[in-house]
Amino acid sequence: NRPPNIVRPTLNAFFGAGSVLGILTLAFSGWLLVNDLIAAIVLLPAMFIGIIIAERFKKLSSLWLSRILLFLSGLASLMLVLRGFNAAL
């Protein structure tokens, strides 16, 4: 229930730091593959495009922002569950 001007930078910092820490953890554990680095490099422009597009949502109400975030979180959860079922088969 925070205003968008607080939520956006918080999410950016959380996912940005999480991505960097994830890559560093993979590297230090010996599980970082060339494919992982290629995927990170390929997705990097999408991150910057997302930051630019997010500027359009600055004036979005807190209610709509929370609805959108809950929808995206639910969708991601559903995709993970389906992926888990697919892997189990």
Side-chain angles (χ1 to χ4, degrees):
N1 293 330
R2 299 283 185 185
N5 62 344
I6 293 176
V7 174
R8 279 188 331 101
T10 303
L11 287 174
N12 284 342
F14 177 78
F15 288 115
S19 298
V20 170
L21 287 174
I23 290 172
L24 289 175
T25 302
L26 286 171
F28 287 127
S29 66
W31 284 91
L32 184 64
L33 303 174
V34 174
N35 291 342
D36 298 322
L37 286 175
I38 292 172
I41 292 168
V42 167
L43 292 173
L44 195 59
M47 182 183 74
F48 290 117
I49 291 169
I51 291 170
I52 292 168
I53 291 173
E55 291 293 322
R56 295 182 179 211
F57 293 98
K58 270 186 171 179
K59 296 180 182 176
L60 192 66
S61 73
S62 296
L63 177 65
W64 277 105
L65 179 64
S66 68
R67 287 180 179 174
I68 291 169
L69 289 175
L70 286 172
F71 172 76
L72 291 175
S73 297
L75 185 64
S77 300
L78 180 63
M79 290 172 62
L80 285 173
V81 168
L82 293 175
R83 182 176 165 187
F85 282 139
N86 190 29
L89 298 177

